[in-house]
């Protein structure tokens, strides 16, 4: 341990002996390093964060898909640093004062591409960072980028919508003309070939409609005929006259028969079937009363009056007969129409084929027209919504501000590093020179190097004049060494002053 301490003392002594050399080297390195640091250009960074809010409610109503909005925003974010957009930045900031031609603009654009960063953060948050040679210019660049980011999102979407709307307008106009031509051709064909035929549509459609109506009329006619037959049967078993106030017609047996028939007619009018217990009882009574009435001679006195049941059945019979006649007439008419259509089909099959083709073409055009018209109206609503309110809203969370300190280089650290390097270089130079010269700082070193015993050593004696000279040199050395520190502090002060002036 003592040996290491001695070695350290010897090294310090050798360096101290060459302190002026170390100081000179330190000053040289410091001046050169500080000069290099002073020439490094300052780079100021300005940052801003922009939040993009998607309009979910209105967008869903007018057909603006949220995923499409997100894709559009991502695309514009990725192309924000394109040459076209950066040229707008150059022309819209103080960089325009430093350009004299197209080549200067291209150089500024190339520089901006390396000095601008756009980072997508979570929840639709974007951070825009720009570095420039002055705080004002850095802030201008970020402001311009935000303006382009917002305007391009809104204007591009609206321009695309307007372009698509104009295209759909032209398509609607063209399809209107084609649809009008197809309709005129369809009308002319029907007037020429199908004007005398009943119904609308193709011959097959007309025949199908006629058959459907015929089937319905057949069912209605069968029901009406069945009802008429039932009423005729009831009328056959019902007397036209019943006993009046002056007596009975043909005696009491016939009066009872008329009463039972009236009760039976009432039961049937109520909807009772033949298997109903009341109907079965009345029918058994009716058979007995009819047998009694047939065996009773016709009476001569009293007179009779019309049977109301019979009159009601007769009225119902007239209604059913009218319905049967009307359905029969409609059936005959439909049958005539079907015969005419069949005659046209059998007589000229090409007409049916041509009409089918015309109808198909017309329907296809109409479907396409309806679809394009619907798309145009939906897009028109979307354009109106975009004109009146923004589907995408932008908010600047952290607006850009002029930076007070440069982001690079870190000049105070570099100045201190140069000072540390200068001191280390001076000390290393002095130590190296001491190692090159063959001197013996101690008697032990001399004895070890020569292998001879050293009898003793003589200390240096310094006169008063020499001591005074050495003292003055020490003061000069201390002042020169302190000058390094003073220069370092002065450079730091200049740096702080320049930062204040730049801000």
């Amino acid at each position: 341990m003592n040996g290491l301490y001695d070695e350290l003392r010897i090294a310090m002594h050798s360096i101290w002996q060459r302190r002026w050399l170390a100081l000179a080297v330190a000053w040289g390195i410091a001046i050169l390093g500080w000069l290099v640091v002073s020439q490094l250009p300052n780079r100021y960074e300005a940052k801003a964060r922009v939040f993009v809010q998607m309009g979910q409610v209105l967008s869903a109503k007018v057909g603006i898909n949220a995923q499409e909005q997100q894709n559009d925003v991502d695309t514009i974010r990725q192309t924000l640093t394109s040459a076209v957009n950066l040229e707008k930045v150059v022309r819209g900031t103080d960089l325009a004062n430093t350009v004299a031609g197209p080549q200067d603009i291209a150089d500024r654009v190339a520089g901006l591409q390396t000095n601008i960063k756009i980072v997508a953060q979570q929840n639709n948050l974007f951070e825009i960072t720009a570095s420039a040679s002055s705080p004002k210019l850095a802030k201008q660049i970020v402001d311009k980028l935000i303006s382009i980011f917002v305007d391009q999102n809104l204007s591009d979407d609206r321009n695309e919508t307007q372009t698509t709307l104009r295209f759909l307008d032209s398509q609607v106009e063209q399809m209107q003309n084609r649809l009008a031509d197809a309709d005129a051709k369809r009308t002319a064909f029907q007037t020429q070939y199908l004007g005398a035929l009943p119904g609308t549509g193709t011959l097959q459609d007309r025949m199908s409609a006629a058959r459907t109506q015929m089937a319905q009329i057949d069912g209605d006619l069968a029901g009406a005929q069945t009802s008429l037959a039932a009423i005729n049967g009831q009328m056959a078993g019902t007397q036209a006259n019943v006993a009046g106030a002056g007596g009975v017609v043909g005696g009491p047996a016939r009066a009872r028969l008329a009463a039972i028939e009236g009760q039976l007619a009432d039961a049937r009018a109520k909807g009772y079937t033949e298997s109903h217990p009341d109907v079965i009882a009345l029918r058994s009574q009716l058979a007995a009363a009819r047998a009694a009435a047939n065996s009773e001679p016709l009476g001569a006195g009293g007179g009779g009056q019309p049977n109301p049941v019979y009159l009601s059945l007769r009225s119902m019979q007239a209604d059913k007969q009218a319905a049967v006649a009307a359905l029969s007439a409609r059936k005959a008419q439909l049958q005539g129409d079907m015969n005419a259509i069949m005659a046209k089909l059998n007589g000229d099959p090409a007409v049916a084929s041509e009409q089918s083709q015309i109808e198909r073409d017309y329907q296809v055009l109409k479907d396409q027209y309806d679809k394009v018209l619907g798309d145009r109206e939906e897009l028109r609503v979307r354009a109106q919504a975009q004109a009146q309110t923004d589907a995408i809203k932008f908010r600047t969370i952290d607006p850009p501000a002029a930076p007070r300190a440069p982001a690079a280089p870190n000049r105070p650290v570099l100045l201190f590093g140069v000072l540390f390097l200068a001191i280390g270089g001076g000390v290393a130079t002095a130590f190296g020179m001491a190692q090159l010269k063959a001197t013996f700082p101690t008697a032990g070193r001399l004895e070890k190097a020569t292998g001879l015993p050293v009898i003793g050593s003589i200390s240096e004696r310094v006169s008063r004049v020499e001591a005074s000279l050495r003292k003055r040199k020490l003061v000069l050395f201390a002042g020169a060494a302190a000058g390094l520190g003073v220069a370092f502090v002065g450079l730091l002060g200049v740096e702080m002053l320049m930062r204040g002036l730049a801000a």
Side-chain angles (χ1 to χ4, degrees):
M1 190 67 181
N2 291 332
L4 180 60
Y5 176 70
D6 291 340
E7 292 292 334
L8 181 60
R9 287 182 57 201
I10 292 172
M12 295 296 294
H13 178 72
S14 63
I15 293 173
W16 177 253
Q17 290 295 110
R18 296 163 182 82
R19 58 186 176 276
W20 287 104
L21 175 64
L23 184 60
V25 172
W27 267 102
I29 295 176
I31 292 174
L32 182 62
W34 287 336
L35 181 63
V36 172
V37 171
S38 66
Q39 298 302 314
L40 295 177
N42 285 331
R43 304 299 300 175
Y44 293 89
E45 279 190 358
K47 295 183 179 181
R49 289 196 302 168
V50 179
F51 176 71
V52 182
Q53 182 178 3
M54 306 297 179
Q56 299 292 340
V57 177
L58 179 62
S59 303
K61 293 298 182 183
V62 299
I64 303 176
N65 186 271
Q67 185 60 41
E68 292 179 359
Q69 292 177 342
Q70 184 65 51
N71 294 338
D72 293 340
V73 172
D74 291 341
T75 300
I76 293 177
R77 176 184 62 81
Q78 294 169 3
T79 59
L80 190 59
T81 56
S82 63
V84 175
N85 291 331
L86 293 183
E87 185 175 346
K88 296 178 183 178
V89 174
V90 172
R91 297 184 183 277
T93 60
D94 289 344
L95 289 174
N97 301 328
T98 63
V99 298
Q103 185 59 41
D104 291 338
I105 294 178
D107 294 340
R108 301 298 182 275
V109 168
L112 287 176
Q113 287 178 337
T114 60
N115 294 330
I116 294 176
K117 294 180 181 179
I118 302 174
V119 180
Q121 299 178 346
Q122 60 181 357
N123 298 327
N124 295 329
L125 197 62
F126 299 92
E127 184 181 65
I128 301 176
T129 304
S131 60
S133 58
S134 68
K136 179 182 177 182
L137 182 58
K139 181 179 181 298
Q140 288 179 347
I141 293 174
V142 176
D143 284 333
K144 189 63 178 178
L145 287 173
I146 294 176
S147 177
I148 294 175
F149 184 57
V150 175
D151 293 343
Q152 196 166 4
N153 272 287
L154 299 179
S155 62
D156 284 0
D157 197 13
R158 290 176 180 174
N159 292 337
E160 182 181 357
T161 301
Q162 294 299 328
T163 302
T164 307
L165 191 58
R166 287 193 295 270
F167 172 75
L168 290 178
D169 286 338
S170 64
Q171 290 296 311
V172 168
E173 184 177 357
Q174 293 178 9
M175 297 194 70
Q176 280 179 342
N177 297 332
R178 294 174 60 190
L179 189 61
D181 294 339
D183 189 44
K185 182 178 180 181
R186 178 168 167 259
T187 303
F189 180 87
Q190 290 182 353
T191 302
Q192 181 179 359
Y193 295 102
L194 308 177
L197 295 179
T200 58
T202 64
L203 291 174
Q204 289 81 359
D205 293 340
R206 299 184 187 195
M207 178 59 74
S208 177
R211 286 172 177 169
T212 302
Q213 294 180 16
M214 180 64 77
Q216 183 178 359
I217 289 175
D218 285 339
D220 295 341
L221 182 59
Q225 290 174 345
T226 301
S227 299
L228 180 59
I231 292 175
N232 289 334
Q234 293 179 20
M235 290 181 65
T238 305
Q239 292 185 357
N241 296 315
V242 295
V248 294
V249 178
R254 293 185 180 278
R256 177 174 173 74
L257 176 61
I260 293 174
E261 288 177 347
Q263 294 176 6
L264 184 59
D266 290 339
R268 288 172 175 169
K270 292 179 181 178
Y272 293 170
T273 61
E274 297 296 329
S275 60
H276 194 276
D278 293 344
V279 176
I280 294 174
L282 289 173
R283 288 179 66 85
S284 63
Q285 295 175 16
L286 180 63
R290 185 176 287 118
N294 290 333
S295 62
E296 182 183 50
L298 294 175
Q305 61 181 0
N307 187 354
V309 177
Y310 184 82
L311 293 177
S312 176
L313 291 174
R314 189 171 183 179
S315 177
M316 295 172 61
Q317 181 189 40
D319 292 339
K320 296 299 181 181
Q321 287 176 345
V324 170
L327 290 172
S328 298
R330 179 58 181 157
K331 180 178 179 179
Q333 180 186 359
L334 279 176
Q335 188 62 50
D337 293 344
M338 293 174 64
N339 293 335
I341 296 174
M342 287 299 298
K344 193 68 175 179
L345 286 171
N346 296 329
D348 194 357
V351 173
S353 177
E354 184 178 356
Q355 186 193 20
S356 299
Q357 184 64 39
I358 291 175
E359 292 290 341
R360 283 195 298 270
D361 294 343
Y362 175 81
Q363 191 61 41
V364 169
L365 284 175
K366 188 175 183 304
D367 293 341
Q368 291 178 352
Y369 174 76
D370 292 339
K371 184 179 183 304
V372 174
L373 188 62
D375 293 341
R376 186 189 69 172
E377 293 307 315
E378 180 180 349
L379 193 61
R380 192 186 302 278
V381 173
R382 174 175 177 173
Q384 292 176 354
Q386 290 175 338
Q388 296 177 7
T389 181
D390 295 333
I392 302 177
K393 295 183 179 180
F394 298 88
R395 287 192 299 165
T396 304
I397 304 300
D398 295 328
R404 302 184 62 86
N410 192 344
R411 211 177 301 276
V413 174
L414 292 178
L415 292 175
F416 180 77
V418 169
L419 177 63
F420 182 79
L421 182 64
I423 295 174
V427 172
T429 302
F431 181 76
M433 292 299 296
Q435 298 301 314
L436 293 176
K437 291 186 177 182
T439 59
F440 303 98
T442 61
R445 283 282 187 91
L446 178 62
E447 183 175 347
K448 183 178 180 181
T450 59
L452 299 175
V454 177
I455 299 175
S457 60
I458 302 174
S459 300
E460 181 182 12
R461 294 185 60 84
V462 180
S463 64
R464 291 184 177 181
V465 175
E466 183 68 18
S468 177
L469 180 61
R470 288 186 177 185
K471 186 176 181 180
R472 286 197 300 270
K473 288 182 179 180
L474 181 61
V475 172
L476 290 176
F477 178 80
L484 277 175
V486 173
F488 170 72
V489 174
L491 290 175
L492 284 181
V494 172
E495 175 65 16
M496 296 301 107
L497 178 62
M498 294 299 295
R499 289 187 178 187
L501 294 176

